[in-house]
Amino acid sequence: QVQLVESGGGLVQAGGSLRLSCIASGRFLSIYDMGWYRQAPGKQRELVATINSGGITDYAASMKDRFTISRENAKNTVYLQMNSLKPEDTAVYYCNARIRRTILQEYTYWGQGTQVTVSS
């Protein structure tokens, strides 16, 4: 069983910062891409940022200047540093990872989500 567990969400004032973490646990061979997505009330889930096993990153254009994704491969962990937060960043943030469980099995997994609320 593979699990992704997020942490670090919470309530913050506009202009503040938060750092989200996501740890992958269970039995697997390797982790390829990891990423963060978010879903605001009444809206579709959207990409925030991704990072591959080599550290190459990709961001949604609207978040590129304020958010930073990073990972520690030895800890099977991905982070999202969020600065200069705005009320429109309020959403549930989900971790995502493409994981090779066995030689023949590769799946995309999702965490349960962590709430980020930015007050004005």
Side-chain angles (χ1 to χ4, degrees), residues 16-59:
S17 299
L18 282 175
R19 189 192 194 206
L20 306 183
S21 300
C22 172
I23 300 173
S25 63
R27 299 185 66 176
F28 50 85
L29 296 180
S30 58
I31 303 175
Y32 299 128
D33 301 335
M34 303 185 83
W36 290 95
Y37 291 72
R38 70 183 187 184
Q39 187 166 18
K43 295 187 177 181
Q44 290 189 331
R45 190 172 297 189
E46 64 174 346
L47 170 71
V48 176
T50 62
I51 184 168
N52 69 11
S53 57
I56 296 174
T57 60
D58 187 29
Y59 294 88

Side-chain angles (χ1 to χ4, degrees), residues 10-13 18 89-91 115-119:
L11 174 64
V12 64
Q13 288 188 332
L18 282 175
D89 293 319
T90 295
Q115 177 70 47
V116 171
T117 303
V118 185
S119 62

Side-chain angles (χ1 to χ4, degrees), residues 41-89:
K43 295 187 177 181
Q44 290 189 331
R45 190 172 297 189
E46 64 174 346
L47 170 71
V48 176
T50 62
I51 184 168
N52 69 11
S53 57
I56 296 174
T57 60
D58 187 29
Y59 294 88
S62 62
M63 293 168 253
K64 186 173 185 178
D65 294 333
R66 300 184 294 121
F67 293 2
T68 302
I69 190 171
S70 60
R71 66 190 281 176
E72 286 189 77
N73 291 332
K75 295 183 178 181
N76 298 324
T77 301
V78 62
Y79 305 98
L80 184 68
Q81 177 66 43
M82 305 186 291
N83 299 327
S84 302
L85 284 163
K86 306 174 182 179
E88 50 264 43
D89 293 319

